[in-house]
Amino acid sequence: MIEDNLLEQNKQEQDFQFCSLGSGSKGNGTLIRAGKTLLLVDCGFSLKETTKRLLSKGVDPEQLSTILVTHEHSDHIKGVASLSNKFDIPVCTSRGTSLNKHCEKISDDRLNIFNNHTEFVIGEISVLPVPVPHDCREASQFIFSNSGVSLGILTDVGHITPHIRRAYSGCSAMMLEFNYDYQMLMQGKYPRALKQRVAGDLGHLSNEQAVDFLINLESKKPNQLVVMHRSEENNSEEIINGLLKEKFDYTASNFLFANQLDGFDWQIVC
Ligand SMILES: [Zn+2]
Ligand SMILES: [Zn+2]
């Protein structure tokens, strides 16, 4: 029995896995794990809330290898400095993101700057940053690789550039923003300026833009898809379900929704 448990534990440590602590405009955090390497992408929650959410996924904050930050908006960066300082965790950002005032709270020896076009390695995971158009300084999204398979995260992106399309082609698994339904946004109660910001070229991806992106990948569709960063005001699961069924024949076993409240549970990249 003990051997069985050890075998199971070893197997889990070898798998390339991901899960989310929460996804949406009220806070984001995504975990990527391969072997003993455990990355947290963004931290938009308080220290107490982050610790609680990590524990709910079976993770002790001290296990984190690095915190990667996609961009300077508070739903992604708010909790980074306190988590890094409390548990002595290195932080990696683009130069542009590092210019945000929040990063002044991170001690210099923990703050690392990556080139937004150059792949780098953290432990057992390769990280390819992808520059994306969003209304902030030098936003990045990431493609992670381990043992020949890759996993992409793509949220907070105003529109799809040719570089994004090329970079994400070939990902086995994809965490992709489906922020809003255009009709719901335009008919909803957001002020005009905010509607324009969200729908603009430096805002967020609509359901239609996300589906178009999947259709136009230079490779087959990903095996696994997670719907990320959904607006609670301007979107609905039914609409997204309908679009994905109609265009891709995705079934419940290969796509799921990330929630604001508890993200989603550990998935193995396959
Ligand atoms: Zn965001
Ligand atoms: Zn953002």
Side-chain angles (χ1 to χ4, degrees):
M1 189 62 188
I2 289 172
E3 272 187 14
D4 280 356
N5 284 344
L6 274 177
L7 271 176
E8 186 53 33
Q9 197 181 336
N10 277 341
K11 195 183 156 315
Q12 275 184 6
E13 283 185 359
Q14 281 160 17
D15 285 330
F16 185 25
Q17 303 178 41
F18 60 110
C19 75
S20 161
L21 308 180
S23 177
S25 59
K26 292 184 183 141
N28 294 276
T30 308
L31 290 166
I32 318 287
R33 174 158 69 192
K36 298 233 176 316
T37 307
L38 181 59
L39 309 179
L40 175 63
V41 182
D42 293 330
C43 185
F45 306 105
S46 69
L47 183 60
K48 192 174 159 204
E49 185 65 24
T50 303
T51 307
K52 192 179 98 186
R53 288 178 185 238
L54 284 170
L55 290 175
S56 78
K57 306 296 180 200
V59 170
D60 192 310
E62 290 179 354
Q63 291 173 270
L64 293 172
S65 314
T66 294
I67 307 167
L68 292 161
V69 187
T70 59
H71 65 296
E72 61 187 310
H73 288 157
S74 67
D75 55 323
H76 298 262
I77 207 171
K78 186 169 81 180
V80 172
S82 50
L83 186 67
S84 165
N85 292 338
K86 167 107 184 187
F87 297 103
D88 192 17
I89 306 162
V91 176
C92 281
T93 77
S94 70
R95 172 71 61 195
T97 300
S98 77
L99 297 174
N100 185 278
K101 263 194 147 351
H102 182 90
C103 290
E104 289 172 9
K105 294 187 263 176
I106 303 166
S107 75
D108 282 351
D109 57 335
R110 286 199 204 98
L111 186 59
N112 303 280
I113 308 296
F114 55 72
N115 178 317
N116 221 359
H117 291 271
T118 307
E119 190 160 22
F120 55 95
V121 175
I122 302 175
E124 288 151 83
I125 301 175
S126 290
V127 183
L128 175 68
V130 181
V132 297
H134 194 48
D135 53 353
C136 59
R137 283 169 288 195
E138 209 182 353
S140 322
Q141 293 292 316
F142 301 108
I143 297 168
F144 304 96
S145 308
N146 170 268
S147 309
V149 285
S150 55
L151 159 70
I153 181 165
L154 183 61
T155 73
D156 300 78
V157 49
H159 66 281
I160 299 295
T161 62
H163 177 63
I164 294 174
R165 184 172 303 116
R166 267 194 305 276
Y168 285 83
S169 289
C171 282
S172 300
M174 189 102 76
M175 290 175 272
L176 178 62
E177 169 168 60
F178 283 66
N179 190 277
Y180 63 95
D181 171 74
Y182 187 79
Q183 300 295 348
M184 285 179 77
L185 175 68
M186 288 306 155
Q187 287 160 14
K189 47 183 194 277
Y190 275 14
R192 213 169 98 97
L194 184 55
K195 287 179 182 177
Q196 282 172 347
R197 195 227 130 202
V198 171
D201 267 359
L202 297 176
H204 290 272
L205 275 195
S206 69
N207 297 340
E208 294 288 349
Q209 284 174 302
V211 163
D212 259 16
F213 166 67
L214 290 171
I215 289 173
N216 289 308
L217 286 171
E218 293 169 8
S219 57
K220 66 179 178 58
K221 68 184 182 194
N223 299 328
Q224 294 158 284
L225 174 70
V226 185
V227 171
M228 303 283 284
H229 216 301
R230 251 178 320 145
S231 164
E232 290 176 331
E233 282 277 325
N234 304 309
N235 215 340
S236 90
E237 286 195 14
E238 283 92 330
I239 292 175
I240 298 172
N241 265 319
L243 270 174
L244 288 176
K245 284 221 177 75
E246 179 195 332
K247 309 272 184 183
F248 293 107
D249 199 23
Y250 269 123
T251 62
S253 65
N254 55 15
F255 97 88
L256 62 108
F257 289 96
N259 296 309
Q260 182 68 80
L261 191 64
D262 56 1
F264 60 88
D265 245 328
W266 286 106
Q267 308 289 313
I268 296 173
V269 184
C270 54

